[in-house]
C-alpha cells in the first residue's frame, strides 16, 4: 500500500498544530517583553547617570548638590509610572516634590527635577505600596535609600532591587534593575 495511514496523518497534524501554537504565542508576547526590557534599560540608565554625576561633581545651577543625585520612584500600582532623576540641593537625601524641572523658575529651590522617565502604560515598579528615593551621595557615590520612613546610608541590604512587571494582559513579563550598595554596580535581569 502506498500513502499514509490515518494515524500517521493525525500525528503529523498534531505536531504541526503544536509548533504553530508555540510560534504564535512567542510572536504575541515578544513585543511586550521588548517594551518591558526597554523600560528596565532606561531605568538602569537613569541610575547610572545619577551615580556618574554624583561621582564627578556635576553641577546644577552652578553648584554641586549637597545630597547628590537620585531617583524618586513613586508607589505606582497603576500606569503610567513617572520616575524622576533629581539633584538633592539641600542635602535632605529625599526628593521634595515641589522641585521644578531644570531651567524653570523655582519658588523654593531645594531640589531640581532634571529628567522624568514615564514608563510604558502596562509597566509597574515594585516595591509595591511605597515610594522610594535612591540617591548616590558625593563624593564617593555612597548609596542611600529613603523609603518614606527613614533614610539608610547605606541600606541594610547589599542590593536594592526594583522589579518591573507587566500589568493586565502583560502580567507574565518581568525584569529587575538591581543596584549594589557595596560597589554601586547597576544591572538588569
Amino acid at each position: 500500500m502506498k500513502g499514509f495511514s490515518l494515524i500517521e496523518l493525525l500525528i503529523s497534524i498534531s505536531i504541526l498544530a503544536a509548533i504553530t501554537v508555540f510560534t504564535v504565542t512567542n510572536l504575541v508576547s515578544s513585543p511586550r517583553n521588548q517594551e518591558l526590557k526597554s523600560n528596565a534599560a532606561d531605568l538602569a540608565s537613569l541610575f547610572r547617570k545619577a551615580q556618574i554625576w554624583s561621582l564627578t561633581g556635576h553641577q546644577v545651577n552652578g553648584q554641586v548638590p549637597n545630597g547628590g543625585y537620585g531617583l524618586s520612584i513613586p508607589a505606582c500600582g497603576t500606569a503610567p509610572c513617572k520616575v524622576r532623576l533629581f539633584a538633592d540641593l539641600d542635602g535632605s537625601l529625599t526628593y521634595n516634590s515641589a522641585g521644578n524641572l531644570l531651567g524653570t523658575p523655582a519658588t523654593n529651590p531645594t531640589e531640581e527635577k532634571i529628567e522624568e522617565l514615564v514608563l510604558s502604560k502596562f509597566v509597574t515598579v515594585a516595591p509595591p505600596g511605597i515610594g522610594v528615593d535612591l540617591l548616590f551621595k558625593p563624593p564617593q557615590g555612597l548609596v542611600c535609600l529613603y523609603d518614606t520612613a527613614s533614610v539608610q546610608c547605606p541600606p541594610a541590604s547589599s542590593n536594592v532591587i526594583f522589579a518591573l512587571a507587566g500589568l493586565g494582559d502583560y502580567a507574565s513579563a518581568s525584569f529587575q534593575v538591581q543596584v549594589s550598595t557595596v560597589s554601586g554596580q547597576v544591572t538588569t535581569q
Side-chain angles (χ1 to χ4, degrees), residues 33-117:
N33 286 340
Q34 281 302 107
E35 193 163 353
L36 191 58
K37 186 175 182 179
S38 174
N39 278 213
D42 291 345
L43 183 59
S45 177
L46 275 183
F47 276 121
R48 289 181 187 113
K49 182 184 281 189
Q51 181 183 38
I52 289 169
W53 282 0
S54 176
L55 291 170
T56 60
H58 184 80
Q59 294 186 354
V60 173
N61 296 333
Q63 73 180 57
V64 175
N66 292 333
Y69 293 90
L71 269 67
S72 179
I73 303 173
C76 49
T78 60
C81 186
K82 296 180 182 178
V83 177
R84 292 170 182 89
L85 170 63
F86 69 95
D88 182 22
L89 300 176
D90 66 355
S92 65
L93 302 178
T94 64
Y95 175 67
N96 172 2
S97 61
N100 294 347
L101 282 171
L102 192 61
T104 61
T107 55
N108 182 17
T110 58
E111 317 297 348
E112 287 289 344
K113 188 182 341 170
I114 298 172
E115 211 172 308
E116 193 168 72
L117 169 65

Side-chain angles (χ1 to χ4, degrees), residues 2 13 17 19 37 39 59 62 71 74 76-78 81 89 100 103 131 140 143 147 158 167 174 185:
K2 292 187 179 183
I13 290 171
I19 291 172
K37 186 175 182 179
N39 278 213
Q59 294 186 354
L71 269 67
C76 49
T78 60
C81 186
L89 300 176
N100 294 347
Q140 295 89 9
V143 176
D147 64 3
S158 62
L167 294 171
S174 67
Q185 181 180 14

Side-chain angles (χ1 to χ4, degrees), residues 129-147:
I130 63 168
V132 295
D133 296 341
L134 189 129
L135 287 97
F136 295 96
K137 189 175 178 188
Q140 295 89 9
L142 178 68
V143 176
C144 298
L145 181 69
Y146 175 73
D147 64 3

Side-chain angles (χ1 to χ4, degrees), residues 146-158:
Y146 175 73
D147 64 3
T148 69
S150 64
V151 176
Q152 301 171 23
C153 287
S157 171
S158 62

